[in-house]
Structure formats: structure tokens, C-alpha cells
Amino acid sequence: MPILRAVKPQKKFNDKRRLESSPQQGRLKHLMRTLLHDFSYSIRSLKKTPAFTFVAIATLALGISATVIVFSIVDAVALQPLPYGNANRVVVLRWQDRNLQPQAEVSAPVFFMLKENALSFDSIAAVYAEDVGVNLVAARGARYVTALQVSESFFETIGTQPAIGRSFRAEEDRPGASGTVVLSYRLWQSIFDHDRNVLGQNIKINGDAFTIIGVMPEEFHSYPDADIWLPLQLNPANADPGSDYLVFASVKRGTLLSHAERELQALSQTHPLSYLPGAASKSAKLTLEGLQDFRTANIRHSLTILFGAVVLVLLIACTNLAVLLMVRGLGRTQEIAVRVALGSSKWRLAQIFLVESALLALTGGILGLVLAKDLLPLVFSISPVDISPGTTIEMNQQSIFFGLGVSALTACVLGLVPALRVAAGNFDDLLRQAHKGTTASLRQTRSTQLFVIAETSLTVVLLGVAVLLLQSFFRLQAVSPGFDPKQTWVSQASLAGARYMTTEATSNLFNKVAEHMRSIPGVESVAAIHGLPLETGLNFPVYPTDSPGKIDHAVQYRVITPDYFKTLRIRMLIGRSFTAEDDGHEQPMAIINESLARKWWPHESAIGHFVHAGEELGPELTDRTREIVGVVADVHEAGLAQNPPPVLFVPDQQVPDRITSFINKLFLASVIVRTQKGSNVSEQIRRAFESADPELPVASLRPMTQVLSKSLARPAFYAWLSSIFGIFAMLLTGIGLYGLLSYQVGLSVPEIGIRMALGANRGQIVGLIVKQCARLAFAGLLLGVIVSLFVSRLLTSMFYNLQHVFLTLLVGEAALLGLIAVLAGFLPATRASAIEPMAALRNQ
């Protein structure tokens, strides 16, 4: 009995709790049973219409996969935080003249001024922006690696320290200090096989001994990226003249960026910003920009356009499916009427459509993620290398969540369209229509037609942008670079270091390589240059001696060997080319390009005039006065989309040693070989360099055509990717129109039967249906052309020389889309014309 008394109150409590919670549990169980029932019903319903199900899932899968691929690129390049401890506080300091775009590089005096006076920053670091790489000699031989010279506070500023060892100390960053080096993880892995005893070992860099003091983490990539980091060892006395330094700063915690920028502008007023061209220093001011924004500035606009294009593709896909779902809903009027007669509410009917749409979107989303994962490596392999330096583009957690989120949003949108139609409908009218065996007339499908018009107009916009980008790329590809890249090979090497500080040593190397290559059968000519066309070269301020006021601060200064113009087949317009006799003992001479001759001597010959270069940069970089002996045709030195800049060519044996040393430090030396039959001479070129200098590794070796292709890599990537999106959108529009008209034909069988019974022939039936399709397509095309004209004004910076062909291209692609629309309407129209009138009326 005591036991019974002890248990009895607990039993009452349990019964009471069960009674209190049972209504809630009952509603939940009822909801779960309803959802499971709707889910199984949706599967059975979709199985009955396999064509619709396949088109719906495939359309969603392709649209979502394209969206996820582009999002993965955008996320990796622009959205992912930089892998630095101070990523949110690192800024790049820049200067801006009132008439110029912000410039990233500043001079050494400006860096020291900021370091002494700026109070808004925890630390400030400088990076030599023009470093191209070094020759590294270790136990496994010589190799060329990218290097970055940084001040001792660089790693502290960005907030990342070596994983092994330490970073630079202040005494190691002083001129004359013993050489130290920090390795990247990938270089440590490839050369030293993860040997943790690497610290303290010596390696040779450009012939000098350096001690390894640290190894950076595996995920670390600096900006600019590098294989090794060297101390800058900068002071005002040994600094290179000109604006050659990127300056990074870490903003103090709690300090607003606006406050830091106001301080920079105040310092601009009290301290001169030397070195700046001409009078710019009087009006220049310092600004700042976040490192993430700075590193993506060149591609941010293109990525925005690309992401906008893929969003349009997804919208078109959703619109297409919305049309199919709405028309499919019209065909299910009798089923809905039966459910209404059995007591189903509007919410219950809407729930059926929502579950079916969610099933389609979920299946399409999962397939889209799988497809995106497989296609992403392919897309990344055809993307330009510089779209994301130091960044790995892959499917990550953010990409998966984004894809699932897009799928969920798509399910809601697609489910709401027919659900809202049901909710807004009149059940009495629905029952009457079901009783008559008919469905909504054409007037009752206006919303469906609006969706088709919207889909067509979006396709016109997307296809128009794709066609313009593709045409822009083709026109850019057709631009003559000013030289002949066919049957030529180019090898590059870094001549930085003590061995090639003189003009004589540099010229001797070129001569040895050239002599070796000329002895090979099939080699036509060999030449060398500092600053390859379409790649970075040295800019010098240059002026004609008879008119110093005509000074140009951005003349390309190119050091070449005598056969340069012959090897690249650059036309000599007037005068003569250099010869082997134009050595250091002769009168200094120069050859200029057509643009510079036209700028300074538009109405007379430039031959016999004299020019002076580099004087504004100080005595170390002041060149000798040179006599112009020739004028050559323009070459697109800065890129095919850029106008040819003014260029001054000088013979390699007449360059002062101090300028030769400066150029060898900044730029790779390029040896160009022209062959008679385009044969592969890459191995012979490597052996030529090895015989001339066994410790000089070749930095790159490729056909000259690859140099040209690399300059077109980015516009080609955007053009072809947007074209794929445009073609996909065009196919979706055709499918949407075909699906709409096919369903309408099926629903209009009684009407068609009556028309044919009253005397209408097959041609009239075909014409009636095609006319409906053409009317919808024309409305969408007209709206799309108008929107495209507006959008094109926002995208002019992405197009090359399309001012006179834009409207023609737009009308052409609209006509093509219109033809596809008419074809999409013709197919169901011919099927409708084959209907037997009596059979249609008998079935009705």
C-alpha cells in the first residue's frame, strides 16, 4: 500500500502532462502526416508528367549550378576575408591629384614622412612594388622564384607571423646588413622537403648569401604574392627615385577610417609628396583604401557584371518554370475542382503547390550543387591566371549554403505563383469550368503571358551583353599588335645581382646566347629587350632638347639589341635601325616610335633631332643626350585595348651602367628567337642560357603567341562565359514559349475543333497560334531592346570599339531570338492543325 500511494500521485502528474501536451502533439502529427501525404502525392503527380518533370529539374539544376559557380569565384576573390590577423584593419595608402585617378605607388620620402608623423596607425610598412623575382641557388640547383622586398614591419602590419622561425628585425632592414630571407610554405615544401632544420641554412639569391630565418604558414599569400620575402633595407639615401613603393598600414583599433584619412590629407598639406610628376605635388593629397578592395579593384567591375549575368540566367530559369507551373495548373482545374467539392480549403490547395515546387527545387538544387562541383575546376582552368592571384577557387561551405538558399528561395517563389492564383480564384467559377470541361481562356492567362514577356526581355538583355562582349573580344583579337608573333619564341631571365650590374656584362650575355642560337639550323634571327611588348616596361621622363617644355613624363624606355625590329618584324618608317657598330664609343643615338614623332614633330622629320631622358629622376638615372636616327611603326606596348604609348628605343651597348643596373633590378631581360618554320627551339634556348651562365635559370619560356594570348585572357574569359549564359537563356526562352503554347493548345482543343468545324483550315489554325507566339515574343523583344540600350551605357568600359555596331548587333540577336520564338510556336501549331474536329467535339 505505501508503494501504491507513492506511485499514484506521479501517475496523475504524468496523465495531466500528457493531456496538456496532446493537442499540440496532435497538431504536429497531423501536419507531418499531411506533409508526407502531399510529398508522396507530388512524387506520383510528377511521375505522370515525366517531360515536365525532366525539363523543370534540368532547368533548375543548370541555373543553380551556374549561379553557384560564379558565386564561388566571387566569394573566393572578393568576399572571403584575407588570411591575415589584421585583415579588417589593413589599408593601402595612396596619393591622388585632383585631375588624376588614385595612384597606388608612392615615393620613399613619403613613406618615411608617414612613418614619422602619422598617428592613426599601429604600424606602417613599405613594399617594393616593381620586384619581378630573383635567381635562387640551393642544393637542388638554380631556379627562378618570385620575391618581395618588404620593410621589417610588414608581417606585423598585416598581422601574420611565420609558422616556423621569425620575421625580420629592425637591424636586418638597414642598408649593408647581412642578408636574411623568409620562405613561403610551398617553396619550403618543394626545395627543403618540410625540413624543420632549415632555419639558419644559407642559400644564394642573385649570387649573394642569405640566411633562412622563417617559413610562412601554408595558407599565407601576401599581396603581391611571392615565393620568398627579403628585407627592403630602405633609407632616404639609397631609395630609388620615383613612386615605386606600396605602403601598407594597420589602423589602430577604435580609430575610424574617416579620421585616419583626414589626418593623411592634413599631412599632405604640410609635407611635400615627392616624387610626383610636374606640378602634381602641389595639388596631390593622400588617401587610403582597404586592402581587400584595393586588390580586387581591377576585376570588381567585371565580376559584378558576371554575377549579374548569372542572376539573370537564374531569373529566366525561374520565370520559365513559373510559366510552366501556371499553365500546368490550368490543366489541373478539374482536379482542383474535385478537391474543392470534397471540402479542401484554399490554404490546403496552396500547400499542395508549395510542396510540389519545394520537391522540384530541392532536387534541382542538389543536382545543381553536384554539377557545380564537377564544373568548377573546368571553369577555373579556363579563367585568366590573374583573376585571383594566390586564391583557391573551390566549393566551400559558403557555396553550398548559397546554393541551398537559392533552392529554397526558388521553391518559395515557384510555389507561390500558382498558390496565389488558387488563393485569389473563385471556387464557384472553378466548379463551373470543371463541369464544362474547359479551362481558363486566353484572357485569363494574362499573368502567364506577362511572365513570358519578362523572360524574353531578360534574355534579350543577357544575350545582348554576351554578344557585345564576344564581339568586343573578336575586335580586340583582330587588332594588330604592331609586330609579328608567329614563329617566335621568347625566353626571360632575371639579371638582378652583382654579376650584371654593368652594360658590358649584360651585352656579353646577350651576345653569347645569340651566337649559340644562330648556330642552330632554322633560326632566322635573335634579339633581346628589357620590357617585352604587352608587358611592363620602364617609364622615363623625356624631352626634345630644342623644346624642353614638351617633356613627356611617361615615355617607354626600351633597351634593345640591333636585330630587335628585324626579329619581331616591326616596320622601320624612316631612318635606319641600330647596328653592331653602335657601341658605347659612338654618338649616343635613339629610335622613336610613330606616336612620339607625331607628338613632337607633326610637320617635320624627327631624324637629326636630339632627346634627353631621365633628368628629373636625378643623376643616377640621367641618360646621355641622344640623336634620333630612325622612326618605327607603333607597337601596342601596354595592351591591345590601349593606344600605343610613346616609346624611346636605345641600343643596349650605349646605356650607362647605372641605368643598366637599375633596369636589370626591375625587369626581366627577354631574348626573342625567330625560326624559319616555327619549329620548337625551347630546349636549344635553355642550353644557350646554360652555356652562357650555368647559374642563370630561365624564368619563362614560351611562344610569343602565348604572350599575345595572355593579354587577351581576361576579356576572352568574360566573353565566352557570358556567351554560354546567353545561349542557355535563349534555349530556356524557347522552351518556355514552346511549353506555354503546347499547354494552351492542349487546353484549347474544343475551341480549335469548333473553329475547324465552322470552316477554318489548317493554315489558319497554324497562323492563329503562331501569331499569338509572335505577339508575345515581339513585346518581350521590344522591351528587351529598350532595356539593353540603357544597360549598355553602364557597361561601356567593358566593350572595345563597338560604338557604331551596337544597335546592329542588338537588332540581329533580337531577330534570332524572334526566329526561335516563332519556331517554338510553329511546332505546337502544326500539332494543333492535325486535330480532327469531330473527335475534339466528341471528347468535349
Side-chain angles (χ1 to χ4, degrees):
M1 290 298 294
I3 296 176
L4 292 176
R5 289 195 188 102
V7 172
K8 214 169 185 182
Q10 183 66 32
K11 186 174 185 300
K12 289 181 179 180
F13 173 75
N14 288 339
D15 290 341
K16 182 179 180 182
R17 185 174 58 184
R18 187 170 61 250
L19 290 173
E20 291 176 350
S21 61
S22 59
Q24 182 179 1
Q25 290 181 351
R27 286 192 297 268
L28 182 60
K29 289 181 179 179
H30 176 72
L31 178 61
M32 292 300 297
R33 282 196 300 268
T34 303
L35 290 176
L36 288 175
H37 176 270
D38 291 344
F39 183 77
S40 61
Y41 173 77
S42 298
I43 293 178
R44 293 194 302 271
S45 177
L46 292 174
K47 282 183 177 180
K48 292 179 181 179
T49 54
F52 165 80
T53 304
F54 174 78
V55 171
I57 293 177
T59 300
L60 274 177
L62 291 174
I64 291 175
S65 66
T67 308
V68 170
I69 287 173
V70 174
F71 174 81
S72 298
I73 297 175
V74 174
D75 178 60
V77 175
L79 301 181
Q80 283 290 335
L82 296 173
Y84 308 147
N86 296 335
N88 297 327
R89 298 190 291 123
V90 178
V91 295
V92 179
L93 306 185
R94 315 170 71 184
W95 69 271
Q96 180 181 10
D97 181 39
R98 66 179 63 178
N99 297 321
L100 299 176
Q101 294 293 326
Q103 304 297 313
E105 293 83 16
V106 300
S107 63
V110 173
F111 165 64
F112 287 112
M113 181 272 291
L114 291 170
K115 199 167 184 180
E116 293 176 4
N117 298 281
L119 302 177
S120 300
F121 310 105
D122 285 328
S123 61
I124 299 177
V127 172
Y128 196 68
E130 304 296 338
D131 232 345
V132 295
V134 296
N135 300 319
L136 184 149
V137 180
R140 295 190 177 182
R143 63 187 294 179
Y144 172 82
V145 298
T146 56
L148 202 62
Q149 290 181 281
V150 300
S151 60
E152 55 90 16
S153 58
F154 174 73
F155 296 110
E156 176 190 354
T157 301
I158 62 177
T160 304
Q161 292 298 321
I164 303 174
R166 61 175 177 84
S167 59
F168 303 118
R169 293 170 178 164
E171 59 270 18
E172 295 169 341
D173 194 30
R174 294 169 186 161
S178 59
T180 53
V181 60
V182 175
L183 306 179
S184 67
Y185 185 92
R186 57 186 175 275
L187 192 66
W188 176 57
Q189 180 184 29
S190 62
I191 293 183
F192 299 99
D193 292 329
H194 299 93
D195 182 9
R196 301 184 69 88
N197 297 321
V198 71
L199 301 182
Q201 295 185 22
N202 289 333
I203 56 176
K204 275 190 175 183
I205 297 176
N206 291 337
D208 298 325
F210 282 75
T211 303
I212 301 173
I213 63 171
V215 178
M216 295 305 295
E218 182 176 4
E219 69 278 1
F220 177 78
H221 292 274
S222 66
Y223 183 83
D225 200 14
D227 295 313
I228 61 173
W229 293 268
L230 306 171
L232 185 58
Q233 297 184 346
L234 179 67
N235 68 12
N238 76 339
D240 292 317
S243 299
D244 296 323
Y245 300 93
L246 281 174
V247 177
F248 299 91
S250 175
V251 180
K252 288 183 176 179
R253 297 186 185 276
T255 300
L256 298 177
L257 292 181
S258 58
H259 175 78
E261 189 158 21
R262 284 195 298 270
E263 182 188 16
L264 292 177
Q265 294 176 5
L267 291 173
S268 303
Q269 302 297 323
T270 57
H271 296 76
L273 301 183
S274 60
Y275 164 81
L276 298 180
S281 60
K282 298 180 181 179
S283 59
K285 64 178 182 179
L286 286 167
T287 62
L288 56 81
E289 184 177 14
L291 179 57
Q292 179 73 300
D293 294 334
F294 174 77
R295 66 191 290 270
T296 59
N298 293 333
I299 60 175
R300 191 184 307 133
H301 182 66
S302 300
L303 286 178
T304 302
I305 300 303
L306 190 62
F307 190 72
V310 79
V311 168
L312 280 181
V313 170
L314 185 62
L315 284 176
I316 292 169
C318 291
T319 305
N320 191 23
L321 286 179
V323 169
L324 294 178
L325 284 171
M326 290 178 68
V327 180
R328 185 168 183 263
L330 295 176
R332 298 171 67 179
T333 304
Q334 188 169 4
E335 171 197 340
I336 296 173
V338 172
R339 288 180 174 273
V340 170
L342 294 175
S344 293
S345 64
K346 290 184 176 181
W347 162 245
R348 184 72 186 87
L349 294 174
Q351 182 178 317
I352 295 174
F353 287 106
L354 286 171
V355 171
E356 184 176 289
S357 300
L359 181 61
L360 288 173
L362 179 63
T363 307
I366 293 174
L367 291 178
L369 288 173
V370 173
L371 188 61
K373 185 178 184 300
D374 293 335
L375 292 179
L376 188 59
L378 175 62
V379 174
F380 186 53
S381 66
I382 65 173
S383 68
V385 176
D386 60 348
I387 194 174
S388 179
T391 301
T392 302
I393 299 178
E394 59 184 1
M395 282 280 291
N396 55 19
Q397 188 176 2
Q398 287 79 4
S399 300
I400 295 174
F401 285 155
F402 178 80
L404 294 177
V406 169
S407 301
L409 181 62
T410 303
C412 293
V413 173
L414 294 180
L416 283 176
V417 171
L420 291 176
R421 177 183 171 274
V422 170
N426 188 298
F427 280 176
D428 294 335
D429 294 340
L430 196 63
L431 291 171
R432 283 194 295 270
Q433 289 176 6
H435 175 70
K436 295 177 181 178
T438 62
T439 59
S441 65
L442 184 62
R443 290 190 301 272
Q444 293 173 298
T445 59
R446 291 289 172 84
S447 57
T448 306
Q449 296 174 8
L450 291 177
F451 273 103
V452 172
I453 293 173
E455 178 183 9
T456 307
S457 61
L458 288 176
T459 302
V460 171
V461 174
L462 179 57
L463 196 60
V465 172
V467 169
L468 291 179
L469 282 173
L470 197 61
Q471 182 69 12
S472 175
F473 167 67
F474 286 146
R475 284 181 171 265
L476 195 60
Q477 196 177 38
V479 172
S480 173
F483 60 89
D484 182 9
K486 298 177 182 178
Q487 299 180 357
T488 57
W489 285 77
V490 57
S491 58
Q492 295 178 297
S494 172
L495 304 185
R499 283 182 300 168
Y500 298 103
M501 292 183 66
T502 65
T503 297
E504 182 180 4
T506 303
S507 296
N508 287 340
L509 174 70
F510 291 156
N511 290 334
K512 289 179 182 179
V513 174
E515 289 176 5
H516 187 282
M517 293 306 301
R518 290 192 189 103
S519 65
I520 298 172
V523 172
E524 188 175 292
S525 61
V526 183
I529 183 175
H530 285 89
L532 198 65
L534 302 176
E535 295 188 352
T536 305
L538 178 65
N539 293 337
F540 261 8
V542 181
Y543 63 87
T545 56
D546 55 355
S547 300
K550 293 182 178 180
I551 187 171
D552 190 319
H553 294 275
V555 175
Q556 300 283 321
Y557 188 90
R558 295 287 191 264
V559 179
I560 63 173
T561 57
D563 287 337
Y564 173 72
F565 301 121
K566 174 185 175 182
T567 303
L568 281 184
R569 294 179 180 173
I570 300 173
R571 290 186 301 115
M572 180 66 65
L573 301 180
I574 56 174
R576 69 173 179 87
S577 184
F578 299 137
T579 65
E581 286 71 33
D582 296 325
D583 55 21
H585 302 290
E586 298 295 324
Q587 162 65 39
M589 54 193 63
I591 295 174
I592 62 175
N593 71 336
E594 186 179 3
S595 292
L596 191 56
R598 188 167 51 246
K599 178 179 181 179
W600 283 345
W601 300 285
H603 305 298
E604 59 178 312
S605 173
I607 304 299
H609 287 273
F610 291 84
V611 294
H612 199 60
E615 185 175 5
E616 287 192 353
L617 302 180
E620 288 296 319
L621 294 180
T622 299
D623 196 9
R624 295 183 290 175
T625 301
R626 298 182 177 276
E627 180 184 1
I628 298 175
V629 298
V631 178
V632 295
D634 285 335
V635 172
H636 287 269
E637 304 282 354
L640 296 180
Q642 307 294 326
N643 292 326
V647 184
L648 179 73
F649 298 96
V650 299
D652 65 311
Q653 297 185 60
Q654 289 188 348
V655 181
D657 288 343
R658 58 187 183 276
I659 296 181
T660 296
S661 176
F662 181 74
I663 293 176
N664 285 343
K665 180 182 178 181
L666 291 181
F667 305 103
L668 295 175
S670 302
V671 175
I672 307 169
V673 179
R674 176 169 291 278
T675 61
Q676 293 177 352
K677 297 181 180 179
S679 55
N680 189 331
V681 293
S682 58
E683 288 304 317
Q684 290 90 330
I685 294 176
R686 290 187 187 276
R687 286 197 292 268
F689 270 92
E690 288 177 0
S691 63
D693 186 348
E695 292 190 357
L696 183 65
V698 174
S700 69
L701 181 56
R702 52 195 163 152
M704 194 67 187
T705 51
Q706 284 189 10
V707 178
L708 189 61
S709 299
K710 182 181 177 181
S711 68
L712 296 171
R714 186 178 292 178
F717 174 73
Y718 293 129
W720 289 113
L721 201 58
S722 61
S723 297
I724 293 173
F725 293 159
I727 293 172
F728 178 52
M730 185 169 57
L731 292 176
L732 283 179
T733 301
I735 292 172
L737 285 170
Y738 175 78
L740 171 64
L741 292 173
S742 294
Y743 272 109
Q744 283 192 344
V745 167
L747 300 175
S748 303
V749 168
E751 178 186 347
I752 294 173
I754 293 173
R755 285 179 179 273
M756 297 185 71
L758 293 177
N761 56 39
R762 298 181 185 275
Q764 290 174 327
I765 297 299
V766 171
L768 177 65
I769 297 175
V770 171
K771 184 178 179 181
Q772 294 177 2
C773 179
R775 189 184 298 115
L776 293 176
F778 179 78
L781 293 175
L782 182 61
L783 180 61
V785 168
I786 295 173
V787 176
S788 295
L789 290 171
F790 173 75
V791 171
S792 66
R793 296 179 179 273
L794 305 177
L795 307 180
T796 51
S797 61
M798 295 191 66
F799 303 141
Y800 174 75
N801 194 23
L802 290 177
Q803 294 85 351
H804 303 294
V805 297
F806 170 66
L807 191 57
T808 304
L809 288 172
L810 195 59
V811 171
E813 59 96 0
L816 176 62
L817 189 58
L819 181 62
I820 292 175
V822 171
L823 181 62
F826 182 77
L827 295 177
T830 54
R831 188 173 72 246
S833 64
I835 294 175
E836 291 295 334
M838 296 307 297
L841 294 175
R842 190 181 303 114
N843 290 335
Q844 175 64 12

